[in-house]
């Protein structure tokens, strides 16, 4: 029945098609190798412009020299040969963005990798974009709850902040980021996980984990695997940010995880060295700082006139043997608004997340904490700092005065309380309730060994019998005397029950 | 410290060495030139040098190299049209036309002058048409 309609439509389109011939700027391939091509000609090519090879593959202009240009290849370099004609497009590389990207696994050019079919979007965003300016921004004021007690209490992250996750290999950096993504369920935050130069098996595990937790409903995964061309590793974080910017421009909140930027820097170093750019410290080219600063500056909290959206970035850096004074770690530490420092010593001691509370900071997040959290966390940091100072002493002598003993006991419970299993993010109300019990001394009579079990059951108890506490905390967002009394009452009730059991 | 000799310098040198020479002299110069290249292990640049030499030679002698590709041999009228067009767009140049038959183009012509290319082939139009249909 639709046959005539279809033919009619087709005719209309064919009529509308105009065959025009125009002059194009072209060049010839001189040499190809290691993901880079040198091209003669292409006069008038612009830096970071997209060029097209005869087979339809794309490249990006990186080097402009006197009589040739250096191009980074984004596709298979084996099919390109000397003498091939390269066309300039006059456009900057762009990727498809939009609602349809959510729940998908894509490569650094926005092409699907998950076998769920073509992604049909009408909007494309350039991968490189100038970061929002001063006038369009607003200071960070809303919290982005990670669901990890230690982070939400001591190193809070705000929407629009850039918080670095730094640590050696196998310290749980990715775990922190994944837990944060899982905890965004129902918070109206779109998440983008960018895997740079990672094993595909690890990425597959993360995706299945996110699916299991129901987190893929609001998450896009951008993958530049270790086996893909290195140019894609270089593009991936920019692609992820571009996908996020679409939602930020719509006034939504976005979280982008860059896992990890050390590999991104290494990818850029490889391309730069092959392009014969002069090497600098640790053989990185001179502009690695700009490479990361222009990426992370695109995270922002926009003001109301600009939609009020935000883009939070959680870049990850892997250190070698705990050396934070290497080139890339110092660069990224100075760019970001704070760092979450994870240590392998703590990790093996069983303190997980292996957070070093003393070295981790958040420069802007505290203004984004809810009041209740500020009220319970205020004394926690001090307690822990004093505990660390006294801990060494306590190992020698037993004849300590009562005050010191008390501090040490409180500190031990504090360390225990900040432990948290993977994939079990907590809501902020539960965090406040647990930390309240700790900082106000309600746990001083609970044995340190029993604390994990105590806490687990306490959360269950609050979910079942103690709904009133959670609800009132959710409403007030602060520890008003009424809320505090209620909380005290339920903690006492729970303790009575456990005492009987 | 020795500075690496660039292909461009070689090409310039070759041009100056062969300028105004007879055929016999050129043969001698060329054999010496290749000897130098081999001694310096620079024979790998030969392709590049030849290309650059062509550019320099054409520029100095006011020659414009035009490459025309078509799917089938062009008839007299087609030839004339192209020649007229090139002469009009690049006046005052001596035009050096090379023709090539490329069946993959299916039809139409592709003209290339230096860094500029005018693609009027059927293949190109099919690609454009496909894009237009997809967007519409």
């Amino acid at each position: 029945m639709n046959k005539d309609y279809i033919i009619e439509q087709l005719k209309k389109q064919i009529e509308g098609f105009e065959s025009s011939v125009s002059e194009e700027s072209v060049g010839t391939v001189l040499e190809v190798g290691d993901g880079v091509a040198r091209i003669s000609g292409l006069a008038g090519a612009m830096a970071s412009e997209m060029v097209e090879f005869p087979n339809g593959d794309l490249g990006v202009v990186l080097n402009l020299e006197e009589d040739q240009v250096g191009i980074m290849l984004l596709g298979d370099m084996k099919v390109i040969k000397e003498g091939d004609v390269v066309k300039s497009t006059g456009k900057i590389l762009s990727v498809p963005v939009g609602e349809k990207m959510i729940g998908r696994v894509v490569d650094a050019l926005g092409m699907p990798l998950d076998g769920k079919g073509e992604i049909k979007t009408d909007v494309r965003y350039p991968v490189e974009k100038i970061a929002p300016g001063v006038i369009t921004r607003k200071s960070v004021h809303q919290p982005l709850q990670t669901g990890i007690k230690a982070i939400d209490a001591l190193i809070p992250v705000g929407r629009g902040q850039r918080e670095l996750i730094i640590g050696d290999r196998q310290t749980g950096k990715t775990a922190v980021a994944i837990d944060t993504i899982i905890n965004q369920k129902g918070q109206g935050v779109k998440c983008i996980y960018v895997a740079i130069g990672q094993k595909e098996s690890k990425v597959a595990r993360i995706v299945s984990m996110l699916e299991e937790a129901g987190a893929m409903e609001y998450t896009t995964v951008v993958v530049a695997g270790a086996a893909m061309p290195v140019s894609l590793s270089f593009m991936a974080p920019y692609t992820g940010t571009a996908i996020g910017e679409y939602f930020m421009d719509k006034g939504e909140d976005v979280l982008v995880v860059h896992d990890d930027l050390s590999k991104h820097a290494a990818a850029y170093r490889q391309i730069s060295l092959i392009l014969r750019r002069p090497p600098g410290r640790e053989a990185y080219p001179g502009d690695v700082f700009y490479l990361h600063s222009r990426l992370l500056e695109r995270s922002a909290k926009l003001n109301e006139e600009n939609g009020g959206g935000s883009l939070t970035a959680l870049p990850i850096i892997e250190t070698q043997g705990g050396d934070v004074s290497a080139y890339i770690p110092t660069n990224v530490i100075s760019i970001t608004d704070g760092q979450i420092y994870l240590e392998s010593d703590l990790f093996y001691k069983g303190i997980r997340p292996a957070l070093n509370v003393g070295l981790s900071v958040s420069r802007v997040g505290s203004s984004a904490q809810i009041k209740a959290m500020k009220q319970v966390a205020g004394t926690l940091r001090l307690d822990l700092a004093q505990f660390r100072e006294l801990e060494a002493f306590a190992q020698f002598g037993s004849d300590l005065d009562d005050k010191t003993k008390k501090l040490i006991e409180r500190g031990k419970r504090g360390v225990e309380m900040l432990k948290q299993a993977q994939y079990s993010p907590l809501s902020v109300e539960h965090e406040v309730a647990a930390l309240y019990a700790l900082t106000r001394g309600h746990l001083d009579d609970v044995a340190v060994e029993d604390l994990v079990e105590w806490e687990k059951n306490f959360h269950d108890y609050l979910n079942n019998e103690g709904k009133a506490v959670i609800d009132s905390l959710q409403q007030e967002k602060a520890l008003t005397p009424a809320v505090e009394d209620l909380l005290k009452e339920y903690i006492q009730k729970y303790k009575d029950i456990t005492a009987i059991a | 410290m020795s500075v690496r000799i660039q292909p461009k310098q070689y090409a310039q040198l070759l041009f100056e060495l062969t300028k105004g020479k007879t055929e016999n002299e050129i043969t001698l110069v060329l054999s010496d030139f290749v000897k130098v290249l081999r001694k310096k292990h620079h024979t790998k640049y030969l392709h590049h040098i030849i290309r650059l030499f062509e550019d320099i030679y054409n520029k100095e002698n006011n020659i414009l190299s035009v490459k025309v590709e078509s799917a089938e041999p062009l008839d007299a009228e087609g030839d004339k049209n192209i020649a007229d067009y090139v002469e009009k767009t690049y006046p005052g140049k001596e035009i050096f036309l090379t023709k090539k038959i490329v069946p993959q183009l299916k039809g139409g012509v592709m003209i290339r002058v230096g860094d500029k290319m005018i693609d009027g082939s059927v293949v190109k139009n099919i690609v454009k048409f496909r894009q237009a249909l997809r967007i519409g």
Side-chain angles (χ1 to χ4, degrees):
Chain A
M1 105 282 190
N2 261 337
K3 199 175 74 183
D4 290 339
Y5 174 76
I6 292 169
I7 292 172
E8 204 53 46
Q9 282 293 313
L10 211 57
K11 267 187 189 164
K12 224 186 240 169
Q13 287 204 356
I14 293 169
E15 269 167 23
F17 177 69
E18 265 178 59
S19 156
S20 61
V21 178
S22 58
E23 202 177 64
E24 288 167 304
S25 175
V26 292
T28 327
V29 176
L30 290 179
E31 57 176 22
V32 194
D34 306 307
V36 155
R38 287 172 178 279
I39 284 157
S40 85
L42 270 185
M46 294 174 285
S48 67
E49 182 185 338
M50 194 163 61
V51 295
E52 200 185 334
F53 288 90
N55 62 343
D57 271 355
L58 296 175
V60 176
V61 178
L62 284 186
N63 263 19
L64 296 170
E65 288 156 31
E66 196 184 344
D67 54 354
Q68 53 179 243
V69 289
I71 283 179
M72 173 175 80
L73 302 171
L74 294 171
D76 188 7
M77 61 172 214
K78 284 181 197 117
V79 291
I80 295 162
K81 52 188 188 304
E82 197 235 323
D84 274 356
V85 175
V86 187
K87 285 182 209 159
S88 73
T89 59
K91 282 183 284 191
I92 273 182
L93 191 68
S94 64
V95 289
V97 295
E99 301 287 344
K100 298 245 171 67
M101 299 299 280
I102 294 297
R104 303 299 299 262
V105 181
V106 297
D107 70 4
L109 297 175
M111 294 298 133
L113 289 174
D114 50 6
K116 289 182 187 163
E118 202 186 337
I119 303 174
K120 289 188 183 119
T121 61
D122 329 322
V123 196
R124 292 183 78 87
Y125 262 42
V127 287
E128 293 268 9
K129 211 176 177 190
I130 303 286
V134 183
I135 322 156
T136 58
R137 287 182 191 243
K138 195 178 172 186
S139 56
V140 173
H141 66 101
Q142 292 161 298
L144 184 111
Q145 304 294 354
T146 62
I148 299 166
K149 271 170 293 177
I151 294 173
D152 287 340
L154 301 170
I155 340 157
V157 181
R159 293 188 181 184
Q161 190 180 346
R162 301 154 298 170
E163 182 80 9
L164 170 68
I165 302 172
I166 187 167
D168 275 9
R169 62 188 172 79
Q170 287 294 314
T171 49
K173 299 183 298 297
T174 305
V176 169
I178 297 300
D179 277 357
T180 309
I181 291 179
I182 291 173
N183 195 47
Q184 301 314 310
K185 195 172 190 174
Q187 305 292 314
V189 179
K190 297 275 192 308
C191 298
I192 291 142
Y193 179 78
V194 185
I196 307 157
Q198 288 192 32
K199 293 186 271 287
E200 315 244 343
S201 63
K202 187 185 171 189
V203 179
R205 209 171 59 226
I206 287 168
V207 172
S208 69
M209 198 57 233
L210 289 174
E211 254 161 20
E212 214 172 283
M216 280 309 277
E217 284 155 30
Y218 52 88
T219 305
T220 306
V221 178
V222 180
V223 184
M228 294 182 191
V230 72
S231 49
L232 296 181
S233 289
F234 167 61
M235 292 311 327
Y238 297 98
T239 304
T241 307
I243 295 170
E245 271 167 344
Y246 171 79
F247 296 110
M248 176 171 76
D249 290 347
K250 276 179 65 187
E252 293 178 48
D253 294 313
V254 187
L255 167 73
V256 186
V257 176
H258 301 291
D259 194 1
D260 64 84
L261 287 188
S262 325
K263 291 205 184 71
H264 180 234
Y268 186 57
R269 170 170 66 183
Q270 181 180 331
I271 294 166
S272 295
L273 290 175
I274 296 168
L275 282 170
R276 303 206 190 103
R277 289 185 180 176
R281 182 173 162 191
E282 290 177 28
Y284 288 104
D287 61 341
V288 265
F289 186 89
Y290 180 54
L291 176 83
H292 288 146
S293 64
R294 72 168 190 261
L295 171 72
L296 294 171
E297 270 300 303
R298 283 160 70 181
S299 316
K301 168 75 199 167
L302 298 179
N303 58 18
E304 266 69 48
E305 293 90 81
N306 289 283
S310 75
L311 195 144
T312 314
L314 285 181
I316 294 177
I317 289 279
E318 186 183 296
T319 53
Q320 303 294 325
D323 182 16
V324 280
S325 55
Y327 192 26
I328 302 300
T330 43
N331 274 355
V332 184
I333 285 172
S334 75
I335 293 165
T336 49
D337 308 309
Q339 66 271 6
I340 295 170
Y341 188 52
L342 303 170
E343 267 180 356
S344 39
D345 281 358
L346 295 171
F347 188 83
Y348 295 127
K349 263 193 215 162
I351 301 170
R352 297 172 196 184
L355 198 77
N356 184 321
V357 181
L359 289 179
S360 302
V361 287
S362 174
R363 285 195 267 270
V364 294
S366 57
S367 52
Q369 256 180 335
I370 66 166
K371 194 149 180 255
M373 187 56 103
K374 266 186 209 160
Q375 283 167 312
V376 294
T379 50
L380 182 62
R381 184 179 279 275
L382 199 70
D383 282 353
L384 285 171
Q386 283 176 331
F387 168 65
R388 267 196 309 276
E389 228 167 72
L390 293 170
E391 200 185 13
F393 270 114
Q395 283 175 348
F396 299 114
S398 55
D399 45 342
L400 297 162
D401 60 282
D402 276 354
K403 207 181 156 209
T404 317
K405 257 187 206 155
K406 223 175 168 186
L407 267 173
I408 289 173
E409 287 305 312
R410 179 71 64 80
K412 275 185 190 161
R413 283 170 181 77
V415 170
E416 200 65 23
M417 182 55 108
L418 292 183
K419 287 183 186 171
Q420 196 170 340
Q422 200 177 347
Y423 308 131
S424 56
L426 290 172
S427 74
V428 66
E429 293 81 23
H430 278 274
E431 289 175 345
V432 170
L435 292 173
Y436 179 84
L438 171 80
T439 52
R440 300 298 191 269
H442 295 283
L443 296 181
D444 291 351
D445 51 355
V446 179
V448 176
E449 304 82 63
D450 302 335
L451 207 68
V452 173
E453 190 66 23
W454 189 95
E455 194 205 341
K456 193 177 155 278
N457 294 331
F458 179 58
H459 290 310
D460 289 344
Y461 176 75
L462 285 181
N463 275 337
N464 298 323
E465 271 99 296
K467 265 261 174 265
V469 181
I470 301 294
D471 288 343
S472 60
L473 262 174
Q474 213 158 22
Q475 250 170 30
E476 297 286 334
K477 294 200 185 311
L479 286 177
T480 56
V483 177
E484 211 172 330
D485 285 343
L486 199 65
L487 192 51
K488 252 187 231 163
E489 185 194 322
Y490 273 93
I491 290 174
Q492 199 49 53
K493 267 193 199 164
Y494 173 66
K495 279 173 90 174
D496 291 345
I497 297 169
T498 45
I500 296 162
Chain B
M1 197 185 86
S2 71
V3 179
R4 201 178 67 123
I5 305 167
Q6 298 294 324
K8 201 173 180 183
Q9 290 167 296
Y10 275 122
Q12 188 68 39
L13 189 75
L14 191 62
F15 175 75
E16 265 150 40
L17 287 173
T18 53
K19 200 155 88 179
K21 297 274 165 70
T22 64
E23 214 165 288
N24 275 344
E25 284 170 325
I26 287 174
T27 317
L28 273 176
V29 166
L30 274 182
S31 84
D32 282 349
F33 183 76
V34 173
K35 267 183 205 157
V36 172
L37 279 187
R38 193 178 296 158
K39 204 175 141 198
K40 296 246 177 199
H41 302 288
H42 281 172
T43 39
K44 59 189 169 192
Y45 297 133
L46 211 53
H47 280 288
H48 201 174
I49 294 168
I50 291 170
R51 203 189 318 264
L52 289 167
F53 176 76
E54 255 178 36
D55 287 351
I56 295 170
Y57 186 85
N58 289 346
K59 203 176 160 199
E60 295 286 330
N61 293 303
N62 202 22
I63 293 173
L64 189 71
S65 158
V66 180
K67 286 181 190 132
V68 178
E69 291 182 3
S70 59
E72 284 164 30
L74 293 170
D75 53 14
E77 200 188 333
D79 270 352
K80 199 180 167 298
N81 276 340
I82 290 170
D84 285 350
Y85 167 77
V86 177
E87 244 165 76
K88 220 191 281 167
T89 19
Y90 303 93
K93 294 261 186 186
E94 194 181 324
I95 285 147
F96 190 78
L97 220 119
T98 38
K99 283 186 244 175
K100 202 174 160 192
I101 306 299
V102 185
Q104 288 95 313
L105 292 181
K106 310 270 192 239
V109 285
M110 205 162 91
I111 307 168
R112 190 169 165 194
V113 185
D115 277 355
K116 298 274 173 263
M117 187 171 76
I118 297 166
D119 195 342
S121 68
V122 171
V123 174
K124 165 89 181 181
N125 273 312
I126 291 172
V127 172
K128 266 191 178 170
F129 186 49
R130 190 193 291 150
Q131 282 167 353
L133 279 183
R134 200 178 275 170
I135 291 162

